[in-house]
Amino acid sequence: MVTPPGAAGYTLMGDKSVPIYNDIIRFVRQQLEKHGQPVFTSRFLNKSTVFLTSSEGVRQLLSDENSHCFQMGYKKYLHRFFGDALIFENGEAADRLRELLKDKFCHSSLESNQFHTTLEKHTASLLETIEEANGEVSIYNLSKELSVNTGLEFFLDLDVGSDGKLAHNMNKLTSTHFKGITSVPVDIKVPFSSYSSTYSKSIVAKEKLTEIIESKLVASKQACKPSFPQSIVETESGEEYHATSHLLLLLCSIVPKSLASLISSFVIALAGYDKCEMRNRALTDDMFFEAAYKEVMRLWPPLVAGRREVVRDCTLDGYKVCEGQAVLYVSYLAHRDKTMFKNPEQFIPERWLDPKSDEVALFALGGGSRCCIGTHYVFGLIKHVMRSLLVRYDWRLKNENSDLNYKWIPVLRPKNDVRVIFKIKQKDHTIP
């Protein structure tokens, strides 16, 4: 058992939160080069933190066998923004909540007419936007619009077409709410002035979003038609359940931004004349499509890192972590671990067709029993949107030398606007 290299430094003075927020991947890579090991210690969020970048180390951290040594590391920083949502619970409380919610996100539930009708409606709108723009679009912005509108209609039963004013207001509020997550947590309002800190505005937005969600839940109780908010209400029992908090988390900008990140990365990965054969194969071969999806998740996970707090001393990949510390696992780099992946920087979907490939080495949506509860929702949406694009278009980047540098926090996305040129295929547009 080895103590990780590096040091946590002194309180406040030794904290590295600013350079980490500015460019987490650059910071971690510099430390890896300095220490020559895949694990090191530094200070983040003013807490001694072990940074974990090896595939095996992250697998051990997220596995159920070590779950008693860790708890979710977000409540202290995000609870005021979301209330008592699932991501803040630990142990038996978390298990009970997942049991109550999991059937709402299972494959059979998402095969419902409501999900597919909603998805088809907003995908058709995306295709229409591409046509109106003569094929040239900002892929991230277009994907985000689809993801936002699909989420509002499916999770909140809000008809974006007939209730555009409320949808627009929700978009503004979720954006303001989201900005507070990465702001300095200082609640400032200047008397006799319209000035408020970003954090203050975010809290006000959260209160307004909560009011809207609660009113929709009341409406769902009175409605006869089946809907996601109706199913959430029916799940409530005598114990504390906090349906409003769960819906607030699902509607938060981080969900549509993550989906937009994945769609954008998928489109960019398959862009260009040299990727024509790969696009055709992704359209006609379901196994290859899923392999390409996994490879996109590997190379460009929307959330590049995750956090846990240590509640019991343990060992990760041979390194000691101690009670009271935090662990920051960097999925983006663990997915590039040369001991796990051959040619890790290259986009090679075929690697996932190998019977020996290990899907447990993908951490984009977490792992173990605490993996993302919306896994089927994510894959269902991405598959429908991508198949709709693949059957209708060929595409390329407007500028083959586009700047593909990325922002990392809070969601991976291109730093600059990446524009894509879509060209209609000259053949039948029926999805096989």
Side-chain angles (χ1 to χ4, degrees):
M1 186 165 55
V2 180
T3 300
Y10 296 103
T11 302
L12 295 179
M13 293 297 292
D15 190 67
K16 302 298 182 183
S17 296
V18 172
I20 290 169
Y21 274 120
N22 285 342
D23 194 330
I24 182 174
I25 301 303
R26 180 182 179 185
F27 172 83
V28 173
R29 279 179 165 157
Q30 287 175 341
Q31 297 303 308
L32 294 177
E33 184 176 353
K34 175 182 178 180
H35 299 297
Q37 298 184 49
V39 180
F40 65 90
T41 300
S42 189
R43 181 171 290 275
F44 176 54
L45 296 176
N46 203 30
K47 191 178 185 71
S48 175
T49 301
V50 174
F51 287 72
L52 195 60
T53 69
S54 69
S55 178
E56 178 59 19
V58 177
R59 186 198 67 77
Q60 292 175 9
L61 172 70
L62 301 180
S63 69
D64 291 341
E65 63 196 61
N66 287 320
S67 61
H68 63 288
C69 296
F70 304 96
Q71 64 182 17
M72 301 296 280
Y74 308 110
K75 188 169 186 175
K76 178 179 178 181
Y77 307 100
L78 298 178
H79 183 268
R80 192 175 180 190
F81 293 103
F82 296 108
D84 294 307
L86 174 61
I87 60 169
F88 304 133
E89 298 296 345
N90 295 288
E92 293 182 359
D95 293 340
R96 285 197 302 272
L97 272 176
R98 289 184 72 87
E99 192 64 29
L100 286 168
L101 287 168
K102 69 178 184 180
D103 64 315
K104 312 304 176 208
F105 291 94
C106 68
H107 181 73
S108 58
S109 293
L110 293 177
E111 285 295 311
S112 69
N113 288 333
Q114 184 203 2
F115 179 64
H116 281 289
T117 300
T118 301
L119 197 47
E120 287 171 0
K121 171 182 174 180
H122 294 294
T123 302
S125 178
L126 176 143
L127 298 176
E128 185 178 330
T129 300
I130 292 175
E131 299 294 319
E132 291 175 350
N134 294 319
E136 181 185 330
V137 295
S138 167
I139 189 59
Y140 178 78
N141 290 335
L142 185 63
S143 302
K144 186 171 70 172
E145 181 180 356
L146 173 138
S147 302
V148 166
N149 291 338
T150 300
L152 286 175
E153 191 148 340
F154 180 66
F155 292 126
L156 203 60
D157 198 26
L158 194 163
D159 190 323
V160 175
S162 62
D163 207 345
K165 185 176 181 179
L166 178 56
H168 178 71
N169 188 33
M170 286 287 294
N171 284 336
K172 288 180 64 176
L173 288 171
T174 54
S175 179
T176 302
H177 175 237
F178 182 73
K179 289 176 182 177
I181 295 173
T182 55
S183 68
V184 178
V186 178
D187 198 348
I188 297 176
K189 296 178 182 178
V190 179
F192 310 110
S193 167
S194 60
Y195 175 79
S196 295
S197 65
T198 301
Y199 183 85
S200 297
K201 292 176 182 177
S202 177
I203 298 303
V204 171
K206 180 240 181 178
E207 292 168 354
K208 292 180 179 178
L209 286 168
T210 298
E211 291 176 5
I212 294 171
I213 292 170
E214 288 176 345
S215 69
K216 295 297 287 185
L217 285 173
V218 170
S220 293
K221 288 182 180 180
Q222 300 169 348
C224 296
K225 69 171 186 174
S227 65
F228 187 89
Q230 175 68 33
S231 71
I232 286 284
V233 170
E234 290 173 350
T235 301
E236 292 199 64
S237 59
E239 62 182 304
E240 287 277 55
Y241 174 66
H242 310 294
T244 302
S245 295
H246 302 317
L247 283 173
L248 180 62
L249 180 63
L250 292 170
L251 293 166
C252 166
S253 285
I254 200 166
V255 175
K257 283 177 181 285
S258 295
L259 290 165
S261 170
L262 284 170
I263 295 171
S264 301
S265 296
F266 214 146
V267 168
I268 292 169
L270 296 183
Y273 300 111
D274 60 324
K275 298 292 178 59
C276 183
E277 183 178 342
M278 189 177 287
R279 288 194 297 271
N280 289 334
R281 189 177 177 188
L283 176 63
T284 58
D285 183 341
D286 282 344
M287 289 183 65
F288 183 80
F289 179 90
E290 188 168 346
Y293 170 77
K294 290 176 182 176
E295 188 69 345
V296 169
M297 294 280 266
R298 183 185 73 82
L299 282 170
W300 303 288
L303 303 177
V304 300
R307 189 173 183 272
R308 295 288 187 271
E309 292 182 346
V310 187
V311 295
R312 183 179 298 180
D313 291 1
C314 71
T315 302
L316 295 173
D317 200 15
Y319 294 87
K320 181 181 180 180
V321 294
C322 301
E323 179 182 347
Q325 288 186 303
V327 176
L328 195 78
Y329 64 95
V330 188
S331 305
Y332 181 88
L333 296 176
H335 288 169
R336 286 163 166 75
D337 188 335
K338 293 179 180 178
T339 66
M340 179 60 66
F341 299 103
K342 185 178 180 180
N343 300 317
E345 296 291 342
Q346 295 182 24
F347 181 74
I348 308 174
E350 289 83 359
R351 74 172 83 241
W352 299 105
L353 299 176
D354 185 341
K356 297 180 182 179
S357 64
D358 189 357
E359 192 173 337
V360 178
L362 278 180
F363 314 113
L365 298 177
S369 60
R370 295 308 301 265
C371 69
C372 175
I373 200 169
T375 298
H376 293 302
Y377 177 85
V378 173
F379 180 70
L381 186 146
I382 300 296
K383 183 175 183 180
H384 186 85
V385 173
M386 288 304 302
R387 291 288 292 273
S388 297
L389 293 173
L390 287 164
V391 74
R392 188 173 181 83
Y393 299 109
D394 282 315
W395 64 83
R396 63 178 177 83
L397 301 185
K398 181 179 181 181
N399 181 357
E400 297 297 335
N401 297 315
S402 294
D403 179 2
L404 292 180
N405 290 322
Y406 288 90
K407 293 181 179 179
W408 310 112
I409 294 178
V411 174
L412 179 147
R413 64 217 185 275
K415 276 187 177 180
N416 299 308
D417 185 24
V418 176
R419 302 193 70 80
V420 177
I421 306 292
F422 289 92
K423 183 178 180 181
I424 294 179
K425 292 181 177 179
Q426 299 302 313
K427 57 181 178 180
D428 179 45
H429 301 318
T430 302
I431 297 179

